[in-house]
């Protein structure tokens, strides 16, 4: 059994693709995944970023707050079903990150609709920051989501533009495990040339 920790923000399309890859890996490898919240809005709140991206982040706190409320009130096992419901609507259906999307996601995940009230409740932000730092502090500066820790060794990534399926997903995982096992491996990167494919 290999233990993995996955940090996500439901607004991030790259985290969505990597999360669906991890679910594929679970089918072909003996792994145990623990899901955690991070926040792109918090990560970038003091950074000099383009106005277009700042506009994208303007609605990023709300879904994360609802996820934290769900985790606090219904346990960590509530995160993946709610993330899946939100991510499907955000990334596959192109829905706005608004209350209607959040309530529909809560209903699909079998959670109380009142949890949607958390979307504008900043009292959850300290817990979000704590969860965020549990992952981000493991990987250092200039990172984001997805962040994955494999047996405690964390990386930003892998950043994928398409979801590996079946044994291909397992082989990509095997590569990630091999790199994580070498204590002096730090970075592997190339420019993205493919459009995002959520299929």
């Amino acid at each position: 059994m290999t233990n993995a920790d996955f940090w996500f923000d439901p607004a991030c399309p790259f985290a969505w693709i990597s999360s669906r890859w991890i679910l594929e890996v679970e089918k072909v490898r003996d792994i145990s995944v623990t899901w955690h919240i991070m926040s792109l809005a918090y990560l970038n709140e003091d950074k000099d970023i383009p106005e277009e991206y700042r506009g994208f982040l303007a609605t990023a706190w709300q879904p994360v707050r609802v996820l934290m409320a769900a985790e606090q009130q219904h346990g960590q096992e509530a995160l993946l079903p709610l993330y899946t419901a939100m991510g499907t609507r955000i990334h596959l259906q192109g829905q706005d990150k608004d209350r209607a999307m959040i309530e529909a996601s809560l209903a699909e995940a079998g959670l109380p609709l009142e949890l949607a009230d958390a979307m504008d409740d900043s009292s959850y932000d300290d817990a979000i920051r704590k969860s965020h730092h549990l992952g981000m502090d493991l990987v250092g500066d200039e990172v984001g989501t997805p962040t994955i820790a494999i047996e405690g060794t964390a990386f930003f990534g892998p950043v994928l533009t398409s979801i590996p399926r079946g044994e291909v997903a397992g082989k990509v995982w095997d590569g990630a495990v091999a790199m994580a096992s070498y204590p002096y491996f730090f970075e592997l990167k190339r420019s993205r040339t493919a459009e995002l494919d959520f299929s």
Side-chain angles (χ1 to χ4, degrees), residues 3-192:
N3 295 302
D5 293 88
F6 192 109
W7 280 266
F8 68 92
D9 182 316
C12 178
F14 298 105
W16 176 252
I17 288 175
S18 291
S19 73
R20 300 310 98 176
W21 160 64
I22 284 285
L23 296 181
E24 287 289 310
V25 174
E26 285 186 319
K27 300 173 187 177
V28 295
R29 296 293 186 272
D30 192 14
I31 70 168
S32 174
V33 183
T34 303
W35 300 88
H36 305 274
I37 300 163
M38 66 84 66
S39 170
L40 288 173
Y42 173 52
L43 180 71
N44 291 285
E45 65 182 357
D46 295 323
K47 293 184 178 177
D48 183 18
I49 57 175
E51 281 305 310
E52 181 181 356
Y53 190 56
R54 193 163 296 286
F56 166 78
L57 293 176
T59 56
W61 274 110
Q62 289 79 2
V64 176
R65 286 172 177 154
V66 174
L67 281 154
M68 180 54 72
E71 180 180 8
Q72 289 183 351
Q73 297 176 37
H74 299 275
Q76 200 164 41
E77 60 273 14
L79 285 180
L80 179 58
L82 184 54
Y83 174 35
T84 295
M86 286 182 175
T88 299
R89 286 167 174 78
I90 294 169
H91 303 296
L92 303 185
Q93 300 172 9
Q95 293 185 22
D96 292 331
K97 299 185 292 292
D98 57 14
R99 189 178 183 102
M101 181 280 293
I102 288 171
E103 288 187 349
S105 298
L106 288 166
E108 181 180 323
L111 294 166
L113 297 188
E114 304 83 66
L115 287 171
D117 293 341
M119 62 187 291
D120 297 314
D121 187 347
S122 61
S123 69
Y124 290 100
D125 294 359
D126 283 346
I128 291 167
R129 291 182 184 100
K130 182 178 179 181
S131 176
H132 176 101
H133 279 289
L134 283 174
M136 301 308 105
D137 290 355
L138 291 174
V139 290
D141 300 325
E142 300 306 318
V143 297
T145 181
T147 290
I148 300 174
I150 301 170
E151 296 293 350
T153 299
F155 299 104
F156 167 46
V159 174
L160 308 166
T161 57
S162 184
I163 304 164
R165 304 286 184 182
E167 184 56 23
V168 174
K171 288 180 179 178
V172 175
W173 173 254
D174 294 341
V177 171
M179 289 185 291
S181 70
Y182 183 64
Y184 304 104
F185 170 76
F186 291 97
E187 187 171 353
L188 183 67
K189 186 172 183 177
R190 64 176 176 165
S191 297
R192 292 192 306 272

